[in-house]
Amino acid sequence: MEVIKASNRKINSVAVLGSGIMGSRLACHFANIGLKVFLLDIVPFDLTDEEKDDPKARNRIVNAALKTALKSNPSPVYSKDIAKNITTGNFDDDMQWLSKVDWTVEAVIENLKIKKQVFEKVEMHRKPGTLVTSNTSGIPISMMLEGRSEEFQAHFCGSHFFNPPRYLRLLEIIPTAKTDPEVTTFLMRYGDLFLGKQTVLCKDTPAFIANRIGVFSIMAIFHLMQEMDLTVEEVDAISGPVSGRPKSATFRTCDLVGIDTLVKVAQGVGQNCPEDEAKDLFEIPSFVQKMVENEWFGDKTRQGFYKKSKDENGKRLIKALDIKTFEYKPKTSPRFESIGAARKVDSLPHKLKILAKGTDKASMFFNTLNMRVFAYSSNRIPEIADHLYQIDDAMRAGFGWELGPFETWDILGVQRVVDTMQSENIQPNQWVIDMLSSGASSFYKTENGARYFYNVNNKSYEIIPGSKESIALNNYRNNDLVWGNKGASLHDIGDAVLCLEFHTKMNAIGSEILQGINKSIDIAEKQNWKGVVIGNDAQNFSAGANLAMMLMLAIEQEYDELNMAIRYFQNTVMRLRYSSVPVVMAPHGLTLGGGCEMSLHADATLASAETYIGLVEFGAGLIPGGGGTKEFVVRTSDGFYTGDPQLPALQERFTTIATAKVATSGYEAFDIGVLHSDKDSVVINQSRLIAEAKNKVVELSNSGYSRPVEREDIMVLGQTALGTMYAGIEAFGISGFASEHDQKIAKKLAFVMAGGDLSQPTEVSEQYLLDLEREAFLSLLGERKTLERIQHILKTGKPLRN
């Protein structure tokens, strides 16, 4: 039996068996990356005689499931046309399709007998050499192999995706003793490179890695909150973003996952891990058991630890469960001194240190929980994983922790925490004691931009496998900065490439960042660097320009200073465009307003698949004033061709800005004209983003990059467009779709995009358009209703219609 080498295997098509919540969304994510996908499920049991020969009726379950998935929010697809890659069918009529696919993924109900029946059918139809995996979250992978051929077993393993698969980055790969190593190697790399996942190699143990540690943490919280007499809201205040956990914290997460599901996993670990030193913590507390008996499972039953309701005026209320009285009470906002102090700093390591050193109840909870999770995690090596970085990777990618348990332990000080643990009679595994005794003081260390982990097996530091293929800026922070100020840092990321990182609040763009961009390009040009990457490791690339600063200047009527600030921004984005070295943007997450305008002007933009990018200034009562409006006119002009009516293309671009349209993925950014097919691309795995941007800089430099020629050939339509666009704006006002102020902003935008009140179509320069854009932007900052909109956004985070 010959197994295809990992380097030679290709995946062009996939079959997903089972169209439940997980299966349907898995099919969507495979389709996201351009694969042909076959999604199959059972034939309905309740077909009438007339329906038994009707293909639509026979596929009713799978079609309904896919339709529900495509309508769900957040969307499982990168763009609406992705669904065309998916073909639906059923297990009775269409299993022969498996002979066409390269990978079959089983995602049916968590029942071993049913899974075995499905695999029996799979083996009847699959092509030898193709992959078969199970998405089980709890059934031992080896138990599914009974009755399967040797060839099937060699190509079979577990592939545990986390739901929703588009957004949660973890993919646990669980081989059995019969799985050929080439299959494991291939899936680890394919999941990373093509599916955008943090692939983690797991052992075939109950709940694998992430659920084993994650559910332990939740169960520890359940017991600890009772020991310390804390409320649901108090625990969530401590175990949320302030401590590096998701916004959903603990109990909101439980409601999202389903309390019944959580209990099932916890019971599975308790039953299947009799040697687990913490098995008592997996016993379900009485208040959770009562919730299960009441069928208060969380979001799926519309009540769990939280419940939404309305007051007598119809205003929405969120109520929290009192676990003592089992009554729902209005949600409160707990106050703790240590949390208040931690929230005043931006750096997560600093937040954690503040919480650890506090003396109030929140700090006691934080420290006790950490010690229990640290000890438990240390005891799981080598039971569930051979290496500590695998546990950290799984918790970050699967549970949304910003730092894994060993990373957190490092920040708090390994020796300090061990001393406290032992004083509290909490024992870490002996290998941790041995590590400290050897002189090693941390689980990780960085050298020359590379990250190393402590290998428990050979008691030495080794580079994390695959880390050379990605760039984490955190690994460069111990190196000397090339340059920096309060808002930005410039790093040498190797191969004569610089990377400028923003670190203002929400990476809002102000004078420090603009100075950083200009300085970075200066340094690259004068010191013979190949070019500059602009990117960061923060949650979001940039929320846009500093609105608070603009509001303050506008209120004080400092219009000369505002004019200078806007001109500085415009000059900076033009410097991005017209430098003598290539500048590549690496946006991800929120990339709004000014962040989007920078991306429009770079030599290339490599966007993460999860990039939410757009020109959103209209919502703040403004038009894009940092070159965004100008650039949309340039791109419209470049798209004109002989015989083109021209006006429809301009109107489409106008509408994109006037509706503050934001792409919901890097791929959709091409559809709305923010990314350009000639120079931009999408990187599906965000951890590779800066490395790929660096490669792009090297490629552009090595191909003989030269400074572009400034444009003076931009066709604007003048009065030809202006009259039509003004008429459309008036019509929207009359029909009630646009307020008076909306119309004013839209007319300013139309005037700029038409090139002003020119009597006929004319070629103009970029600077001409920038001047029109800046003048319109400034005039809108003098409008009371625009200032009201800016104030409302700063206060609530939401746009105001006035």
Side-chain angles (χ1 to χ4, degrees):
M1 178 189 64
E2 187 175 346
V3 175
I4 299 172
K5 287 187 176 181
S7 57
N8 295 332
R9 187 180 291 276
K10 305 292 181 188
I11 301 292
N12 297 309
S13 55
V14 172
V16 178
L17 308 182
S19 66
I21 290 175
M22 191 69 198
S24 57
R25 285 156 181 77
L26 259 180
C28 289
H29 193 57
F30 283 123
N32 276 336
I33 65 167
L35 299 180
K36 175 65 179 173
V37 182
F38 298 97
L39 178 62
L40 284 68
D41 211 319
I42 61 172
V43 175
F45 296 121
D46 58 350
L47 294 180
T48 64
D49 289 338
E50 291 179 354
E51 290 176 323
K52 286 179 180 177
D53 295 322
D54 180 0
K56 281 189 177 180
R58 295 178 68 80
N59 289 339
R60 186 161 59 217
I61 290 175
V62 66
N63 287 338
L66 180 58
K67 186 177 180 181
T68 298
L70 291 170
K71 286 184 175 180
S72 63
N73 187 26
S75 175
V77 292
Y78 290 145
S79 59
K80 293 176 182 177
D81 63 348
I82 292 297
K84 70 178 186 298
N85 294 345
I86 304 173
T87 301
T88 55
N90 64 73
F91 293 160
D92 291 352
D93 304 328
D94 305 307
M95 288 293 276
Q96 70 274 9
W97 292 347
L98 271 58
S99 64
K100 305 176 185 178
V101 305
D102 305 301
W103 182 5
T104 299
V105 181
E106 170 272 312
V108 302
I109 190 171
E110 286 289 270
N111 179 296
L112 180 60
K113 182 179 179 181
I114 292 173
K115 288 182 185 291
K116 284 184 173 181
Q117 291 171 348
V118 169
F119 289 132
E120 187 173 352
K121 286 188 176 183
V122 170
E123 188 155 25
M124 291 169 58
H125 295 283
R126 68 177 277 270
K127 184 169 55 180
T130 58
L131 303 176
V132 184
T133 65
S134 172
N135 189 61
T136 182
S137 59
I139 298 174
I141 306 300
S142 58
M143 292 178 68
M144 302 179 195
L145 294 177
E146 185 181 351
R148 304 280 64 81
S149 69
E150 183 181 341
E151 194 276 339
F152 184 103
Q153 292 178 356
H155 292 87
F156 178 80
C157 69
S159 59
H160 182 213
F161 292 84
F162 273 56
N163 189 44
R166 171 184 166 181
Y167 299 97
L168 285 184
R169 294 187 59 245
L170 180 59
L171 170 56
E172 294 180 316
I173 300 296
I174 313 103
T176 72
K178 305 290 182 66
T179 306
D180 191 281
E182 290 283 352
V183 169
T184 306
T185 299
F186 173 80
L187 286 171
M188 287 289 290
R189 182 161 178 78
Y190 187 86
D192 166 14
L193 199 57
F194 293 92
L195 293 171
K197 298 300 175 188
Q198 174 69 68
T199 52
V200 176
L201 185 63
C202 301
K203 297 187 177 183
D204 193 6
T205 54
F208 312 131
I209 294 178
N211 278 339
R212 182 74 174 273
I213 303 295
V215 172
F216 167 83
S217 177
I218 291 173
M219 298 304 293
I221 287 171
F222 285 168
H223 291 281
L224 189 55
M225 75 178 291
Q226 288 184 298
E227 292 172 28
M228 297 186 65
D229 192 25
L230 292 168
T231 67
V232 165
E233 301 103 302
E234 287 173 330
V235 170
D236 273 357
I238 305 165
S239 61
V242 73
S243 59
R245 302 295 172 85
K247 287 182 180 179
S248 54
T250 298
F251 294 107
R252 182 78 189 97
T253 297
C254 292
D255 282 352
L256 287 167
V257 170
I259 293 153
D260 54 334
T261 302
L262 180 69
V263 165
K264 195 177 295 184
V265 176
Q267 289 175 331
V269 172
Q271 293 165 5
N272 296 313
C273 301
E275 303 302 317
D276 192 310
E277 78 284 357
K279 62 182 179 182
D280 290 348
L281 271 179
F282 284 94
E283 292 181 7
I284 311 302
S286 58
F287 72 91
V288 177
Q289 191 61 52
K290 187 172 181 180
M291 292 177 73
V292 172
E293 291 168 4
N294 290 351
E295 296 188 353
W296 296 355
F297 298 148
D299 284 11
K300 69 178 80 174
T301 57
R302 300 189 177 182
Q303 67 184 102
F305 288 106
Y306 292 102
K307 181 181 180 180
K308 293 177 183 176
S309 61
K310 292 183 179 180
D311 64 16
E312 59 273 11
N313 298 317
K315 184 180 178 181
R316 195 179 75 163
L317 288 175
I318 297 177
K319 294 184 176 182
L321 181 67
D322 183 326
I323 63 169
K324 295 178 181 176
T325 65
F326 258 68
E327 295 176 350
Y328 287 95
K329 299 177 180 178
K331 183 183 174 185
T332 61
S333 298
R335 304 287 181 195
F336 292 104
E337 185 179 343
S338 61
I339 290 180
R343 284 176 175 160
K344 291 177 182 177
V345 300
D346 293 330
S347 162
L348 178 59
H350 289 164
K351 289 179 190 287
L352 298 179
K353 290 174 182 177
I354 289 170
L355 288 174
K357 292 176 181 177
T359 56
D360 60 8
K361 220 172 184 181
S363 289
M364 290 172 60
F365 179 91
F366 173 81
N367 286 322
T368 305
L369 176 64
N370 273 337
M371 288 189 290
R372 291 180 182 180
V373 171
F374 294 165
Y376 190 77
S377 298
S378 70
N379 284 328
R380 302 285 70 76
I381 299 173
E383 180 196 349
I384 66 173
D386 285 324
H387 304 300
L388 58 88
Y389 74 85
Q390 294 169 326
I391 290 177
D392 282 346
D393 284 350
M395 297 317 299
R396 279 188 275 100
F399 275 73
W401 294 9
E402 287 190 54
L403 297 167
F406 295 104
E407 292 169 318
T408 304
W409 200 344
D410 262 355
I411 286 169
L412 299 179
V414 181
Q415 184 67 66
R416 188 189 73 80
V417 173
V418 167
D419 291 344
T420 307
M421 290 169 75
Q422 291 178 331
S423 71
E424 297 287 338
N425 200 29
I426 299 173
Q427 292 298 326
N429 193 280
Q430 184 61 39
W431 69 259
V432 178
I433 308 300
D434 294 342
M435 182 190 85
L436 292 169
S437 299
S438 73
S441 60
S442 63
F443 301 112
Y444 296 96
K445 67 178 183 177
T446 60
E447 292 178 1
N448 300 318
R451 194 178 192 213
Y452 294 77
F453 74 100
Y454 181 79
N455 187 327
V456 176
N457 301 311
N458 59 26
K459 301 181 180 179
S460 65
Y461 287 98
E462 294 181 2
I463 194 165
I464 297 174
S467 61
K468 289 183 178 180
E469 297 175 355
S470 62
I471 291 175
L473 294 179
N474 192 48
N475 296 340
Y476 291 85
R477 293 197 179 102
N478 292 333
N479 299 354
D480 291 336
L481 280 180
V482 177
W483 178 88
N485 64 17
K486 288 184 178 180
S489 299
L490 187 63
H491 304 279
D492 173 0
I493 56 172
D495 298 321
V497 178
L498 296 168
C499 180
L500 182 70
E501 174 189 20
F502 306 161
H503 40 75
T504 57
K505 186 173 182 180
M506 290 293 287
N507 287 331
I509 301 165
S511 59
E512 299 101 333
I513 285 177
L514 297 178
Q515 181 193 19
I517 292 170
N518 285 286
K519 189 68 176 179
S520 300
I521 295 171
D522 280 345
I523 291 170
E525 289 176 334
K526 293 174 182 176
Q527 298 180 13
N528 204 31
W529 297 82
K530 287 188 173 180
V532 180
V533 170
I534 299 179
N536 58 67
D537 289 338
Q539 187 173 357
N540 298 297
F541 178 76
S542 175
N546 189 334
L547 279 178
M549 180 200 72
M550 287 193 291
L551 177 65
M552 180 187 70
L553 292 174
I555 289 173
E556 294 176 359
Q557 298 186 1
E558 296 283 356
Y559 293 113
D560 286 342
E561 196 166 339
L562 275 170
N563 183 50
M564 288 175 59
I566 299 161
R567 189 186 294 271
Y568 187 28
F569 199 116
Q570 290 181 336
N571 290 343
T572 300
V573 298
M574 294 297 280
R575 187 83 199 281
L576 289 171
R577 169 68 52 83
Y578 296 111
S579 61
S580 59
V581 294
V583 180
V584 174
M585 306 293 291
H588 63 277
L590 292 180
T591 304
L592 305 176
C596 177
E597 288 174 306
M598 289 179 175
S599 299
L600 288 169
H601 286 83
D603 292 295
T605 293
L606 273 61
S608 165
E610 297 304 331
T611 301
Y612 314 109
I613 184 169
L615 298 168
V616 296
E617 288 85 351
F618 203 95
L622 300 164
I623 71 166
T629 305
K630 178 271 301 179
E631 188 60 20
F632 260 39
V633 178
V634 172
R635 294 186 179 193
T636 305
S637 172
D638 288 346
F640 290 158
Y641 56 89
T642 303
D644 183 10
Q646 298 180 336
L647 187 55
L650 184 66
Q651 287 176 311
E652 184 177 350
R653 300 272 190 182
F654 168 85
T655 301
T656 298
I657 296 177
T659 55
K661 191 174 290 185
V662 175
T664 59
S665 72
Y667 292 97
E668 194 175 46
F670 287 98
D671 298 337
I672 69 171
V674 170
L675 293 186
H676 198 292
S677 59
D678 291 342
K679 66 184 185 71
D680 301 331
S681 58
V682 173
V683 177
I684 195 164
N685 191 333
Q686 187 172 314
S687 66
R688 291 176 172 267
L689 187 59
I690 292 176
E692 291 296 334
K694 170 186 164 182
N695 293 340
K696 187 67 177 179
V697 167
V698 173
E699 176 194 323
L700 290 169
S701 178
N702 290 348
S703 63
Y705 180 86
S706 59
R707 183 182 185 278
V709 177
E710 294 182 29
R711 300 286 300 275
E712 296 185 353
D713 60 344
I714 304 148
M715 179 63 69
V716 294
L717 305 181
Q719 292 176 358
T720 305
L722 212 50
T724 303
M725 294 169 79
Y726 277 4
I729 293 165
E730 293 282 357
F732 264 76
I734 293 169
S735 60
F737 291 112
S739 69
E740 185 178 334
H741 194 53
D742 289 333
Q743 294 174 66
K744 180 175 285 189
I745 306 164
K747 286 180 178 178
K748 296 275 188 183
L749 176 63
F751 188 83
V752 178
M753 296 191 76
D757 192 18
L758 300 174
S759 60
Q760 62 183 11
T762 307
E763 287 188 351
V764 299
S765 69
E766 286 181 276
Q767 190 57 54
Y768 171 85
L769 289 169
L770 286 170
D771 290 342
L772 287 180
E773 176 187 272
R774 189 175 65 257
E775 182 182 336
F777 192 92
L778 272 170
S779 68
L780 287 167
L781 277 172
E783 296 283 343
R784 178 180 57 82
K785 289 190 175 181
T786 286
L787 300 186
E788 288 173 355
R789 290 188 179 196
I790 294 173
Q791 281 182 312
H792 192 267
I793 286 174
L794 291 172
K795 186 176 180 180
T796 68
K798 298 177 182 178
L800 170 70
R801 293 295 301 277
N802 59 353

